[in-house]
Structure formats: C-alpha cells, structure tokens
Amino acid sequence: MLITGLIIGLLLIGLVLGYLVRQHQHHQELLAVQEQARDIVAEATAKTKAKVAKLQAKNQRETLAYQQSVKDELTEQKSDIAVREQRRQQREQLLDQMAVRLDEQTTMLDQRSQVNQQQRHAIHDLRDQAAELRETRTTTLAQRAGMDTQAAQDEVLRQAEIELKRDRDIEIKAQNDNAEANAERWAKDVVLPATQSGPQDLPKEHLEHTVTVPNGEVRSKIIGRDGQHIRLLETLTGTDLIFVPDDNTTLFISTHDPIRREVARVAITNLVASRRISANQIETQVENAQRDVNHSLWETGEQAVSLLHVGWMHPDLMKLIGRLKYRTSYGQNVLQHSIEVAQMTGAMAARLGYNTRLARRAGLLHDLGKAIDHEVEGTHVEIGVEFAEKYQEDPVVINAIAAHHGDVEKTSPISDLVAAADAISGARPGARSESVEDYINRLRSLEKIANDQDGVTESYAIQAGRELRIIVNPQTLNDQAAANLTQEVAKRVEAELTYPGKIKVTTIRKLTAVEYVGDEKKKKKKKKKAANAS
C-alpha cells in the first residue's frame, strides 16, 4: 500500500511537472508567434507605405502631366480661336469689299441696262424706218417695172440672195486661201508648245523578269523535294520558272502575261526574304502578292487620273490604266505614252479652244485595249472601244479611241488631236527602243511573204506593220483565188513572224481599162488625107 501510494504520488508529481513544462513551452511558442506576427505586420506596413508613397508619386506625376496637357490644349484652343477670329474678321472685310463691288457692279449694270434700253428703242426705230424704206422701194420698183408688190419683193430678195452668195463665196475663198497659206505655221504654233509641255525623257522603268536567289540552300528550298515547290509556284502563278544554266542563283520568270510575271516576282521575292518556304507559305505569299499587285494597279491608275485632272473615272477603267504600266510597245512604256498623249492633246486643245479635260481623257484612254489585248480576242482599238462603250464614256472619247489609227472616220477635232499626239509620242527621238534596222526588216519580211505568192504585183506594209496591203494581177487571179491568197499570206505571217497585236491583210484586185478618143486620131486622119491629095 505504501508503495502503491508512493507510485501514485510520483505519477501525480510527473503529471504536474509535465503540465508545467508543456505550459511553459506553449507560452514560449506563443511569444515566438506573436513576435513573428509583429514582424510580418511591420513588414506589411512598410511595404504598404512604400506602395502608397509610389502610387501617390505616380498620381502626382500623372496629375501634373494631365494639368500640363490641359494647359497646352487650352493654349492651342486659344490660339486656334484667335486664328479663327482673325479669319472671321478677314472674311467680314472681304464680304464688305464684295458688297461694295456688288453695289458698284449693280450700279454699272443699271447704267448699262438703261443704255441698252435706249439702244433697243433706237434699233426699233431704225427697223421701223428700214421697213418703211423697204416698202417704199418695193412699191416704187413695182410701179416702174409694171409688177405687183409680191413679185417685186421676190425680185428684191433674189437679187439680195445673189449678192450675199457672191460675197459669201468670196469670203470663203479668202479664208480657205488664208488657211492653206498659214496652215503649216498655225500647226507649228499648236504642236510645238504642246510637244514641249508634254513628253518628258524620264528614266525607263525596267520590268524585272528574274529574281536573284542568295545561295544554294534557298535555291533547294524553292525547288523542293522532287521539284514540288517550284511546280506549285508555276501552277499558282501561271508562269514558267527556270534557273539560268550559267547562274544557279538567277531564277527566270517566263510568261506572256506581265501581271502574272509581276505576281510571281513579288511572291518569290517575299519567300526568299522570309527564308520560310513550304507549301502553305507559298500559297499564302502568292495570295498576298496577287492582292498587292491588284491594289497597286488601281493606285497607279488613280495617280494617272489625278495627275491629268480628267474627272471621275470608273474604278475598273483605272485598274486597266494601271495594267498599262506593265505593257510596252516597241520598248516604250504604254502608260507613260498614254500620259504623254493626254498632256499633248490637252495642250493643243487649250490653244485651239476645245474642251481640254475631254481631250486629256481621250488621250489617256486611246490605248486602253493594250492592257488586255493578250487576253481578249481583237485589236487593241476594238478592245478599247468595247470597254469605253461598256463604261459609258463620252462619244468623243470613243471615237478618238476608234480612229487614232485611221480605222474609222474621225467625227471630232479631238480625235485628230489624239492621233497627232499619238504619232508625236511614238515617233519622237528616244521614245521607242526598237532599232530602225529591226523595224525595216520586220516590214520587209511582211512584204516578202506577200511577194512570194503567185499573181502578186505589189505589196505594202503600212501603219507600222499593223496592215499588209497586197495588189494582185486581175488577169491572173480571180476573186476566189485572191481570197485564198489572203488566207495563205495570213497563215504564213502567223507561222513565221513574231508580231504585236493583230495584222490586217488586205488583197486588192481591180481591173482598169483605159482607151483614148480625140485629137490624135483626127490628126492622123488629116495627115492621111493630105498625103492622098498630094
């Protein structure tokens, strides 16, 4: 029992001691946690104060900046208000001056109106006197000639008509003689200033047919595995892509369509610059190039229309004008040629008193058909007329397009001016790069094909090789044979020669019989009679 009590007492003492120790540890932990909490609160308080100070500084800067911007805006508005007030005062002064001028003009018009009224009264009085004199003259003539009044009036009118006709014929002949004598000088006075103000020898913009590839790695990527990339490019752009054999870094773009060539050039240039060449990238770049080129066509046409001040024009026509930038004729850029023709036509029309805006418009559109003559059947004249009629251009413009090569009759003086300006722009030195030798050889080749045919007496290549006229012997060939010869010549020209646009082949078969009747036979008969008499 004693031992049991002792054990229980020890246990109680141990429990009490454990409790006290645990209580002490808990107190120490509580103190540590409180200290840590105070540190955290102090740190958070410091960070909060720093953030508050930073936000206050930022807000203060923004407030100062906003105040400064408001001050600047107010200053600018005050300045603008001052300028507007000054303009308003100037306008008021101008309106006052205009009012004074209007009053002066009104007074002057009233005075002129009074003078005109007096002159009208005087004219009425003179007309009444003239009518009385005519009546008196008619009555006097009728009495002296023994005619009635109506017959006398008819006689007077007939005599007056004869005199007026004679005076008119004399005046017309004098004007014709004067026009013939001074035609060359007047033409120079019109053409020379127009030529000086129109054509400009600008550097010719070279249309690239090749793209330079920087190295063999990019070349391999463009070709692709088994040529799949280059075939995809050819399919999407409608061109033939060929690496130059002597230079593996030069890619040649072959096509008859200059727009496709430009799309291919832009797409390949962008691919080479990006160095990322895959099927998806090729499709993307070709689509982007087509969009960019189409937009550039419209921009180019709009710039030409704005430059020449020809008024509003349909966007489709402006796009066609832009396509002329990539079209050449005997080395001459057709867009620059069209702008030159428009400028010269406008200058000549201004000197002659015609509608200058309409003249410039006709000059700009005269070669419109060349934009798509490789895509649409027909000559560039026929295509241009068709599009001008489709977009309801002025009849004067349509006739200028149709007649600038002499295919149809010119119905307006502006058509003559366009034809003259077209000839000047194409014939001036430096306009076209084709050599005289090549030009002459091309015409001789056309004439040789015709002269090689049986029954041909003469042939002429005219209109810079756009038309071939063949004169045949009517006794050798009949009408059907002449038609067959025309077809044969056309086939040989198409097979053997390279030519721009269309060539018109015309065969002429005409039999002319001449017989003289007259003095020679009579003289011979008289000589025979004299010989017989002797």
Side-chain angles (χ1 to χ4, degrees):
M1 293 295 293
L2 181 61
I3 295 172
T4 303
L6 183 61
I7 292 170
I8 293 171
L10 290 172
L11 288 172
L12 289 173
I13 292 171
L15 289 172
V16 171
L17 291 174
Y19 173 76
L20 292 174
V21 170
R22 180 62 182 167
Q23 189 69 21
H24 179 71
Q25 291 177 350
H26 179 70
H27 182 68
Q28 293 297 325
E29 291 176 356
L30 182 61
L31 291 175
V33 170
Q34 289 177 350
E35 183 67 23
Q36 186 178 3
R38 283 194 295 271
D39 294 340
I40 292 172
V41 170
E43 184 180 359
T45 303
K47 289 183 178 179
T48 302
K49 289 181 179 180
K51 287 183 178 180
V52 170
K54 185 177 181 180
L55 288 174
Q56 288 177 346
K58 181 180 179 182
N59 290 335
Q60 186 176 6
R61 288 196 302 271
E62 291 180 352
T63 302
L64 292 175
Y66 180 72
Q67 290 177 350
Q68 185 63 35
S69 66
V70 170
K71 289 180 181 178
D72 294 341
E73 186 176 357
L74 287 175
T75 303
E76 185 178 355
Q77 288 181 355
K78 288 180 180 179
S79 177
D80 187 40
I81 290 172
V83 171
R84 291 186 178 182
E85 179 65 22
Q86 184 179 3
R87 290 179 181 175
R88 186 187 63 79
Q89 293 177 357
Q90 292 176 353
R91 289 177 180 176
E92 288 182 354
Q93 294 176 358
L94 181 61
L95 289 174
D96 293 338
Q97 294 175 0
M98 292 178 64
V100 173
R101 291 179 183 176
L102 285 174
D103 293 338
E104 294 176 353
Q105 291 181 356
T106 302
T107 304
M108 183 177 63
L109 289 174
D110 291 339
Q111 294 175 355
R112 289 183 178 179
S113 177
Q114 293 177 359
V115 173
N116 290 335
Q117 188 69 22
Q118 295 174 358
Q119 290 179 351
R120 281 198 296 270
H121 288 311
I123 290 172
H124 285 309
D125 294 339
L126 291 173
R127 285 180 177 174
D128 294 338
Q129 295 177 8
E132 293 177 359
L133 291 173
R134 282 198 301 270
E135 185 176 357
T136 302
R137 182 184 62 179
T138 303
T139 304
T140 302
L141 289 174
Q143 291 175 355
R144 292 182 179 180
M147 297 184 296
D148 57 6
T149 304
Q150 184 61 38
Q153 289 178 352
D154 294 340
E155 180 64 21
V156 170
L157 290 175
R158 190 180 66 82
Q159 292 294 333
E161 183 179 358
I162 293 173
E163 292 178 1
L164 290 174
K165 185 177 180 181
R166 183 172 59 252
D167 293 342
R168 183 192 64 189
D169 293 341
I170 293 173
E171 181 65 21
I172 290 174
K173 187 177 184 305
Q175 290 182 359
N176 288 337
D177 294 341
N178 186 34
E180 291 178 359
N182 298 292
E184 185 175 355
R185 179 175 60 82
W186 289 343
K188 290 180 179 179
D189 291 342
V190 172
V191 173
L192 290 179
T195 305
Q196 294 171 357
S197 63
Q200 301 177 4
D201 289 325
L202 300 174
K204 293 185 178 180
E205 185 175 353
H206 180 63
L207 301 179
E208 294 291 342
H209 292 223
T210 60
V211 176
T212 301
V213 179
N215 52 52
E217 180 183 358
V218 177
R219 178 178 180 272
S220 300
K221 289 182 178 179
I222 290 176
I223 296 174
R225 182 180 298 177
D226 298 329
Q228 59 181 355
H229 286 170
I230 198 167
R231 285 198 300 271
L232 179 59
L233 275 169
E234 290 177 339
T235 302
L236 294 177
T237 60
T239 61
D240 293 328
L241 304 177
I242 306 167
F243 278 99
V244 178
D246 298 336
D247 184 4
N248 292 331
T249 62
T250 301
L251 180 61
F252 183 77
I253 306 171
S254 175
T255 179
H256 294 291
D257 190 335
I259 306 302
R260 291 180 181 177
R261 182 188 303 117
E262 182 64 13
V263 169
R265 187 190 68 80
V266 173
I268 296 171
T269 301
N270 293 338
L271 285 170
V272 170
S274 67
R275 301 293 180 95
R276 294 180 299 168
I277 303 174
S278 62
N280 293 333
Q281 190 69 13
I282 289 172
E283 293 177 357
T284 301
Q285 290 295 347
V286 170
E287 291 177 0
N288 293 340
Q290 289 173 343
R291 184 178 61 253
D292 294 343
V293 170
N294 286 332
H295 184 68
S296 71
L297 295 179
W298 181 83
E299 282 187 341
T300 302
E302 185 183 31
Q303 290 173 2
V305 171
S306 300
L307 172 67
L308 297 172
H309 304 288
V310 297
W312 183 87
M313 187 172 290
H314 196 282
D316 290 346
L317 286 182
M318 288 196 291
K319 190 173 180 180
L320 288 175
I321 293 172
R323 292 174 68 96
L324 295 177
K325 176 182 177 181
Y326 301 100
R327 177 73 158 82
T328 58
S329 178
Y330 304 106
Q332 184 180 25
N333 184 275
V334 178
L335 177 59
Q336 291 298 327
H337 165 70
S338 300
I339 293 174
E340 287 181 2
V341 172
Q343 291 172 337
M344 287 190 290
T345 305
M348 290 189 288
R351 293 183 68 84
L352 296 173
Y354 298 127
N355 188 329
T356 55
R357 172 176 289 188
L358 191 62
R360 289 195 298 268
R361 193 180 186 95
L364 178 63
L365 297 176
H366 81 285
D367 270 346
L368 182 68
K370 288 186 177 180
I372 53 173
D373 59 351
H374 56 280
E375 299 177 2
V376 180
E377 189 70 23
T379 65
H380 76 277
V381 173
E382 297 169 349
I383 298 170
V385 169
E386 180 181 352
F387 273 89
E389 291 175 346
K390 177 181 178 181
Y391 294 105
Q392 299 179 355
E393 283 293 323
D394 192 281
V396 173
V397 176
I398 295 174
N399 179 253
I401 297 173
H404 75 278
H405 282 313
D407 297 332
V408 299
E409 182 181 358
K410 299 178 179 67
T411 59
S412 169
I414 290 179
S415 300
D416 289 297
L417 296 181
V418 170
D422 178 50
I424 294 171
S425 177
R428 69 182 182 85
R432 295 182 173 180
S433 59
E434 184 183 34
S435 66
V436 176
E437 183 179 358
D438 293 340
Y439 175 75
I440 293 174
N441 289 337
R442 183 159 53 83
L443 298 186
R444 285 178 177 173
S445 299
L446 282 172
E447 293 177 354
K448 183 178 183 302
I449 291 175
N451 293 332
D452 289 343
Q453 306 296 320
D454 295 334
V456 175
T457 58
E458 293 175 302
S459 64
Y460 302 96
I462 60 176
Q463 292 191 13
R466 294 186 182 92
E467 182 176 354
L468 177 62
R469 292 187 181 177
I470 306 169
I471 301 175
V472 300
N473 188 340
Q475 297 177 349
T476 304
L477 301 177
N478 56 23
D479 290 340
Q480 183 60 41
N484 294 337
L485 182 141
T486 306
Q487 295 177 358
E488 180 63 25
V489 171
K491 289 179 181 178
R492 284 194 57 185
V493 170
E494 184 175 7
E496 299 177 14
L497 300 182
T498 301
Y499 53 90
K502 273 192 173 183
I503 296 178
K504 180 180 179 182
V505 181
T506 304
T507 299
I508 301 172
R509 177 183 177 272
K510 182 178 180 182
L511 177 62
T512 303
V514 180
E515 186 68 32
Y516 293 96
V517 177
D519 297 338
E520 293 296 330
K521 293 185 178 180
K522 290 181 181 179
K523 288 180 180 179
K524 290 180 180 179
K525 289 181 179 180
K526 288 181 180 180
K527 288 181 180 180
K528 289 181 179 179
K529 289 181 179 179
N532 293 333
S534 62

